[in-house]
Amino acid sequence: MEDTIKQTLLATVEGLRHVGRERARLLERMGIRTASDLLFDFPRDYQDLSDERLIAELDEDELQSVRAEVTETAIANSGFGKTRVSILVQDSTGHLRATWFNQPFMRGKFHEGQQLLLTAKPKMRGMMWEMSHPQITFLADEEDPLAGRKLLPVYALTEGLSQFYMRRMVWSAVEELAEVPEEVFPEQLLRRYKIEPLSEAIRGIHQPADLEVLERARRRFIFQELFVLQLAVSTRRSMQRSLPAPPLPATTKIDARIRRLLPFELTESQSRAIGEVSADMALDRPMNRLLQGDVGSGKTLVALYAMLVAVAHGKQAVLMAPTEILARQHADTLAGMLEASRVRFAVLAGGTAKSEREQILADIAAGEINVVLGTHAVIQDAVKFKDLGLVVIDEQHKFGVRQRAALRQGDMSPHYLVMTATPIPRTVTMTLFGDLDISTLTELPGGRQPINTYLVEPDQQTRWWQFVRDRLREGRQAYVVAPLVDESETVSAPSVAEAFEQLTNGELEAFRIALLHGRLSPADKQETMDLFRDGETQVLVSTSVIEVGVDVPNASVMTIAGAERFGLAQLHQLRGRVGRGNHAGFCGVLVGEELSDQGRERLTAFSKSTDGFALAELDFSMRGPGDLFGTQQHGLPPLRIADLQRDRDILEEARREAQLLVSEDPGLKHADHERLRVQMLKRYGEALDISDVG
């Protein structure tokens, strides 16, 4: 029976009614290959035809529908290859004109005497109502199963495929297959979660009789998607806790020895985070903790404490950073702090010379090196630790879950501390980081200088560059950041190549300027950063490669071009590169001529707030999670119907229920939960490294 169901759902769409070979080819362009793909291709929107009026009863700028007869069609050219198709329709109370610009193919769709339902926001032009680009329902087509319905699904399309045929194909698939897919929730869970049975939800989302039916169907699929994700996250968390790890307690003696090495007085937040980290590391199961804190909040000090606890117990520690620049900067920080200690550390990155690399690998394997700092290079097969006790991952959102797990060697698991200076909205921590406990640094250490942020309008840019020159003549240094490496014909945004050329021949020609971007070799990047850090270079023109961790105390001015191309969290990171020494920081955001209203709203919010957590939540609400943290980096498939911002309440509920179910049935081994387990593993097994559960 199960095999028959599978075969039915996995059959190609070509065999479904109203599809055929040509439309199957068009559907394949959209990733729709099987009957199941078509059945679960949810509408992206709905056309509300519930407000139907006579032409004489229309109001301006409200979505309304009119049932009318075509009396005239026309097509006109307006120069430069542009066209305008218009039709005149009438009902018993008057006439209305419908117009489409640059869509000449629309002309062939209409003929006199045709009965239409037109939906749009009408405007009064002269003495006649007009609709621009209205949605059209052909009422005379008796084959249209959706004729007469008040809520019409709107599907994503591809060139050559009309909404009319897409609706008809999906309708046929629903009529034929709605009862075929097996329900993944057992009856008691359907009742417990108060969700629609699957077959009813399939009909309700494609063929809603009204908004209430639609909402019940949508809630079912949103809950299911988030619930399966949370099952995967909870299962991963449960599996992690079942692994053995070496207990590494921070005894009074160890604590005193470490604190003598720390160069600063700890803030209350740092002390609290160290307490949470120490409590985790003292257990015989692996710590899995996320340490998040605003720019400059002192995360590195907490990480150093944890690494020295591991070393004090004879274990090795590794810190993985997203760039070689950052890995080497961590090495510089450690060199200063560990000058009086016997701790040995080394940097392992793509730019490490071959002979040096071979010696480092041999020393790691022999346990001669206590702390390894590096990039992705530390998770390659050639790297063998003698006794790894702690893994620290800096800028966690740059790495995936499987990369985090790749450092586990042997039967014992190391402890994991992952860090981010990009504050993460709560809904994202519940999904991408739901398998981690969280510590948050909420205050900055003493001595951090204020950063003043300005929106620099086009007519103020001459004055801004004068301000930059004044700071440089005082002995300070400056960053100039742009989003692209080279000019692009397809993306309208400034490039560092363009900025470098303009500044060296214009506003900053009297100063020593260098160029930094991701295409340079590791050696060239390091040399460029070293020259800037040593003050040999006064101005660094860079892409966002400097956004994390780069620490040059003498740099006090940051200029950002093309700021609308960056997220608020990223802008906040960039701004955090200045004001790190004894001098106040200044950040100028160059405002472009064509900045959108939303873009201006975002940049204004950025200029008025230095609270990274508030900015992250704002960015999340305005741009969604995809712009904050690409799920591709985490290896997680994108959400199909759920929206982490809109569906926050459902996410909270799905998380609670998933955690409860996993605590009741670890591994989902109960027969009633078999289908949920299969769906969880199919979707997230590889991405979350839980493929062997159950």
Side-chain angles (χ1 to χ4, degrees):
M1 174 67 178
E2 218 167 276
D3 288 344
T4 308
I5 289 169
K6 261 186 193 168
Q7 287 168 7
T8 304
L9 292 173
L10 295 179
T12 68
V13 286
E14 189 176 332
L16 293 175
R17 192 161 166 252
H18 298 306
V19 179
R21 182 175 300 174
E22 183 55 33
R23 290 195 192 112
R25 189 179 59 78
L26 295 174
L27 289 171
E28 188 170 2
R29 274 194 218 156
M30 300 190 294
I32 299 172
R33 298 176 180 84
T34 67
S36 177
D37 292 339
L38 189 60
L39 196 62
F40 292 100
D41 178 50
F42 299 132
R44 60 177 175 79
D45 200 359
Y46 294 85
Q47 187 181 347
D48 187 354
L49 309 180
S50 56
D51 190 356
E52 186 180 319
R53 307 189 187 189
L54 294 168
I55 292 173
E57 298 171 345
L58 292 173
D59 288 322
E60 274 205 321
D61 293 329
E62 289 182 25
L63 189 66
Q64 297 147 91
S65 298
V66 165
R67 197 176 292 260
E69 179 182 323
V70 178
T71 60
E72 187 180 306
T73 65
I75 186 166
N77 292 315
S78 53
F80 302 105
K82 295 180 178 178
T83 59
R84 185 182 70 180
V85 172
S86 63
I87 60 172
L88 195 65
V89 300
Q90 69 172 19
D91 67 7
S92 59
T93 65
H95 289 80
L96 176 144
R97 186 173 303 283
T99 307
W100 292 266
F101 294 96
N102 301 322
Q103 295 186 11
F105 59 86
M106 292 298 292
R107 186 188 184 189
K109 293 181 179 291
F110 305 109
H111 57 80
E112 289 182 25
Q114 200 171 24
Q115 299 295 315
L116 304 177
L117 188 71
L118 303 92
T119 305
K121 294 180 179 180
K123 285 189 178 297
M124 180 62 80
R125 308 268 189 208
M127 300 295 290
M128 185 181 293
W129 286 105
E130 185 171 301
M131 286 182 171
S132 182
H133 293 259
Q135 291 275 353
I136 297 292
T137 304
F138 296 93
L139 298 176
D141 192 335
E142 293 177 6
E143 280 193 68
D144 185 357
L146 292 159
R149 286 187 167 255
K150 299 301 183 186
L151 270 178
L152 295 184
V154 178
Y155 297 95
L157 300 173
T158 187
E159 189 178 348
L161 189 61
S162 70
Q163 196 64 239
F164 170 78
Y165 278 109
M166 189 67 185
R167 285 171 179 160
R168 192 154 72 162
M169 288 187 291
V170 175
W171 180 281
S172 295
V174 170
E175 289 301 293
E176 191 176 331
L177 301 171
E179 306 293 333
V180 173
E182 291 186 302
E183 177 63 74
V184 295
F185 290 101
E187 186 63 39
Q188 73 271 21
L189 291 187
L190 284 175
R191 288 197 303 272
R192 183 157 119 187
Y193 306 148
K194 297 176 181 165
I195 54 175
E196 292 279 277
L198 182 57
S199 59
E200 290 177 34
I202 290 172
R203 293 184 187 281
I205 204 157
H206 290 294
Q207 307 170 349
D210 53 41
L211 285 171
E212 190 179 332
V213 170
L214 172 60
E215 279 312 303
R216 286 203 306 270
R218 287 185 72 256
R219 186 186 177 281
R220 149 74 199 227
F221 287 116
I222 291 167
F223 179 86
Q224 180 175 337
E225 183 166 50
L226 294 175
F227 182 75
V228 170
L229 171 57
Q230 290 301 318
L231 279 180
V233 167
S234 297
T235 297
R236 175 172 170 76
R237 188 182 180 94
S238 172
M239 290 173 67
Q240 286 170 335
R241 287 174 177 247
S242 68
L243 294 169
L248 306 175
T251 63
T252 307
K253 184 178 177 181
I254 290 173
D255 179 73
R257 277 167 45 197
I258 294 173
R259 285 177 188 269
R260 279 200 298 272
L261 296 171
L262 301 181
F264 309 113
E265 192 69 32
L266 296 174
T267 65
E268 277 188 38
S269 279
Q270 286 174 316
S271 294
R272 186 171 58 250
I274 282 173
E276 292 165 347
V277 167
S278 299
D280 284 356
M281 291 180 69
L283 300 175
D284 61 358
R285 59 173 172 76
M287 168 174 71
N288 282 283
R289 184 165 289 275
L290 171 68
L291 176 63
Q292 63 170 345
D294 215 334
V295 177
S297 57
K299 294 176 297 300
T300 306
L301 220 56
V302 177
L304 175 62
Y305 184 97
M307 288 192 287
L308 292 178
V309 168
V311 172
H313 284 278
K315 303 291 182 182
Q316 292 168 293
V318 60
L319 188 155
M320 187 161 70
T323 65
E324 185 165 344
I325 289 173
L326 187 50
R328 293 194 180 278
Q329 187 166 287
H330 280 311
D332 293 342
T333 304
L334 258 64
M337 292 184 186
L338 301 179
E339 203 169 357
S341 105
R342 288 176 295 175
V343 176
R344 283 195 64 198
F345 65 89
V347 176
L348 191 61
T352 306
K354 187 179 179 186
S355 58
E356 183 187 0
R357 174 183 170 79
E358 287 174 356
Q359 185 60 55
I360 290 172
L361 290 175
D363 289 348
I364 293 171
E368 297 291 327
I369 290 176
N370 309 112
V371 176
V372 180
L373 308 159
T375 57
H376 290 80
V378 301
I379 57 174
Q380 291 170 0
D381 290 341
V383 184
K384 303 294 183 189
F385 290 89
K386 182 181 181 186
D387 196 356
L388 183 61
L390 175 69
V391 176
V392 179
I393 299 182
D394 198 7
E395 289 310 313
Q396 161 61 22
H397 65 279
K398 304 284 185 182
F399 298 102
V401 168
R402 292 184 71 82
Q403 288 170 312
R404 199 197 306 165
L407 282 156
R408 190 169 74 229
Q409 297 177 357
D411 297 330
M412 295 291 274
S413 170
H415 295 280
Y416 290 92
L417 177 66
V418 296
M419 306 192 296
T420 178
T422 305
I424 306 168
R426 175 166 162 71
T427 47
V428 179
T429 62
M430 286 192 290
T431 49
L432 298 185
F433 307 104
D435 58 322
L436 301 170
D437 297 307
I438 297 173
S439 293
T440 303
L441 299 182
T442 56
E443 57 191 316
L444 298 182
R448 281 305 301 261
Q449 298 298 319
I451 303 175
N452 307 282
T453 307
Y454 310 96
L455 295 190
V456 183
E457 302 292 344
D459 61 351
Q460 299 170 329
Q461 292 187 10
T462 300
R463 283 174 57 203
W464 172 255
W465 290 116
Q466 180 60 52
F467 176 81
V468 175
R469 289 193 292 271
D470 291 344
R471 301 290 78 72
L472 293 171
R473 290 190 182 106
E474 289 174 2
R476 307 287 76 74
Q477 289 165 275
Y479 297 100
V480 178
V481 175
L484 301 180
V485 176
D486 298 310
E487 288 184 72
S488 168
E489 294 180 6
T490 55
V491 180
S492 176
S495 70
V496 289
E498 183 184 10
F500 181 76
E501 187 175 340
Q502 285 181 4
L503 294 174
T504 50
N505 296 303
E507 290 90 347
L508 303 181
E509 62 181 344
F511 303 93
R512 299 183 300 278
I513 306 179
L515 185 61
L516 180 69
H517 53 74
R519 290 191 203 158
L520 296 176
S521 70
D524 287 344
K525 279 190 273 193
Q526 192 59 48
E527 183 184 3
T528 302
M529 274 310 305
D530 288 344
L531 289 171
F532 186 65
R533 192 176 286 111
D534 295 342
E536 296 296 320
T537 303
Q538 294 167 285
V539 181
L540 190 63
V541 180
S542 174
T543 56
S544 60
V545 70
I546 60 151
E547 92 178 73
V548 289
V550 172
D551 188 3
V552 180
N554 191 46
S556 68
V557 189
M558 164 75 65
T559 305
I560 305 175
E564 64 277 8
R565 304 285 304 181
F566 299 113
L568 289 180
Q570 197 172 21
L571 288 173
H572 185 59
Q573 284 281 344
L574 291 168
R575 173 171 59 185
R577 299 311 103 211
V578 297
R580 302 176 77 88
N582 298 321
H583 306 280
F586 301 93
C587 178
V589 176
L590 305 186
V591 176
E593 297 276 5
E594 299 178 354
L595 187 63
S596 67
D597 289 344
Q598 191 193 50
R600 181 170 289 277
E601 184 185 349
R602 290 175 61 251
L603 295 184
T604 300
F606 170 66
S607 69
K608 290 181 175 177
S609 175
T610 55
D611 183 338
F613 289 92
L615 289 173
E617 290 288 354
L618 176 64
D619 215 22
F620 183 71
S621 66
M622 295 180 79
R623 296 180 6 138
D627 291 291
L628 271 178
F629 304 101
T631 53
Q632 298 304 317
Q633 288 174 322
H634 295 264
L636 295 183
L639 296 172
R640 290 174 177 169
I641 189 169
D643 179 294
L644 294 184
Q645 180 66 20
R646 181 197 65 208
D647 303 321
R648 191 170 185 150
D649 291 345
I650 300 177
L651 173 61
E652 297 266 10
E653 181 190 355
R655 185 174 190 237
R656 281 194 309 272
E657 294 295 346
Q659 288 175 344
L660 182 61
L661 190 63
V662 170
S663 69
E664 292 172 352
D665 180 18
L668 302 180
K669 295 173 183 173
H670 193 283
D672 282 351
H673 304 148
E674 168 70 14
R675 289 178 190 142
L676 278 171
R677 186 176 69 85
V678 168
Q679 190 167 112
M680 174 187 76
L681 293 179
K682 183 178 176 184
R683 191 143 173 80
Y684 298 107
E686 185 177 350
L688 288 178
D689 199 27
I690 55 172
S691 303
D692 55 350
V693 66

